[in-house]
Amino acid sequence: MADPTTATGAADTATGPKTMDAGKWANKRVYLRLVIYTAGIHAFAGFIMLLFELGSRNK
């Protein structure tokens, strides 16, 4: 395996070696994950609020 501290490959750029995960595809995955997590947290919070509302009606 090559030493990552030396820049001898033609695929290396001035900022470092290219990776398979870099670029706008990685950014799209991050934003998609953010939307999914945000929607999931809101759905879970809504479910908890529904449980409290239904529980308060049974007094």
Side-chain angles (χ1 to χ4, degrees), residues 12-44:
D12 293 344
T13 61
T15 58
K18 291 182 181 177
T19 61
M20 297 274 298
D21 210 29
K24 60 182 174 181
W25 287 110
N27 290 339
K28 285 183 181 180
R29 285 194 301 263
V30 169
Y31 291 132
L32 179 64
R33 200 177 309 140
L34 178 68
V35 168
I36 291 171
Y37 288 164
T38 302
I41 289 172
H42 278 85
F44 180 71

Side-chain angles (χ1 to χ4, degrees), residues 41-55:
I41 289 172
H42 278 85
F44 180 71
F47 178 69
I48 297 296
M49 290 171 60
L50 176 68
L51 290 179
F52 275 105
E53 182 66 30
L54 293 176

